[in-house]
Amino acid sequence: MTLQTTANIWHNGKLIPWDQAKIHVMSHVVHYGSSVFEGIRCYTQPNGAGVFRLPEHMARLIDSAKIYRMPLPYTADQLSAAVIDVIEANGVTPCYIRPIAFRGYGEMGVNPLKSPVEIYIANFPWGKYVHGNEGADVCISSWARLAPNTMPTLAKAGANYMNSQLIRMEAEINGYSEGIGLDTNGYLSEGSGENLFLVRGGVLYTTPLANSVLNGITRNSILTLAKQLGIEVVEQALLREMIYICDEAFFTGTAAEVTHLRSVDRILIGDGSMGPITKALHDEFFGIVNGTRPDRHNWLTPVKVKVAEPVGV
Ligand SMILES: Cc1ncc(COP(=O)(O)O)c(C=O)c1O
């Protein structure tokens, strides 16, 4: 999807014009993938706009940086304020927000510790991420997700997305909307940029963090909503074949939101339509973010946006 630009990007504490947010080709990150980042959505509600689970995203950014020994000279609260500043300055909502911290121009060599940490926050309009209005047709990837103790999956690091790229490219080239990676033991893990949920016999299943998944904030939100709706939830390692015989399946993610899966490897899931448990969770999620249902968990941080622009889908 072509990137739609906005006026400003936040860089190390101040707003700079979009076109000036540039880095040197010899920056450490370009060569060794040394970045950590976040993806956040800001939604519009009837009375304004709000960023979804901003403190949780900033906490995860700080965790990702800590794993990679990358000192961030800002607190979670300061970074949250910076997100609000850039959205308000650009006046674009709904939007997607991309904070990124990386090792910049300093020394050559794998060790990043002598290269400075740079932080940027951009926001821009971004519509539907996983295609398929009637449900997504996905595949099991031939690529496995990251093995434990290789690339840490609790860090949302740029380098992890080389694996995601392999999964996504293979899926799209083979005519699917997205691929699901297995972990290195062959258990279901997650999509290239989404957590995975299955429903069978009225029970909601999702893969635990130990199956090489990102600790998704939408995943956590869905688990919270499921408990609130009285849906039984089980987090356990899931065999590959469970996805072929389940009644319902869906992805969660900031970009993917709640996307129901119609088929996996051309095997229809249920009758292919969005099942009742997926629908209940989908409707509750979108009700909260779109402001038609109460934000009973205080998940939205308000922003004052001067100009509202629709997201191009
Ligand atoms: C690999 C991966 N898994 C899961 C997710 C979903 O996480 P979240 O709901 O926090 O966006 C993402 C998106 O950030 C992702 O990139």
Side-chain angles (χ1 to χ4, degrees), residues 22 31-32 52 72 84 93-94 129 155 174 188 213 250 259 289 291 293 311:
K22 292 183 176 154
H31 302 260
Y32 304 115
F52 188 65
L72 299 187
I84 302 294
T93 186
Y129 181 67
N174 290 331
L188 291 171
V213 307
F250 61 93
T259 299
V289 297
R293 295 192 184 180
V311 171

Side-chain angles (χ1 to χ4, degrees), residues 60 145 156 161 190 192-195 214 216-218 252-254:
R60 189 171 65 184
R145 289 298 281 163
K156 191 170 168 64
Y161 288 81
E190 61 176 349
S192 75
E194 309 84 13
N195 291 113
L214 182 71
I217 289 163
T218 323
T252 63
T254 298

Side-chain angles (χ1 to χ4, degrees), residues 65-66 68-74 101 103 112-113 115-119:
K66 186 172 186 189
Y68 280 100
R69 303 174 192 269
M70 193 186 280
L72 299 187
Y74 300 98
R103 291 286 182 175
L113 298 176
S115 296
V117 176
E118 308 273 354
I119 311 179

Side-chain angles (χ1 to χ4, degrees), residues 199-242:
V199 176
R200 185 169 152 96
V203 178
L204 182 68
Y205 293 90
T206 196
T207 51
L209 301 185
N211 290 118
S212 301
V213 307
L214 182 71
N215 188 7
I217 289 163
T218 323
R219 174 185 183 276
N220 172 273
S221 309
I222 289 297
L223 291 173
T224 304
L225 295 179
K227 285 172 194 153
Q228 173 199 308
L229 294 174
I231 298 165
E232 189 185 340
V233 175
V234 175
E235 282 183 62
Q236 65 172 44
L238 296 171
L239 295 164
R240 171 179 179 159
E241 57 272 30
M242 178 78 163

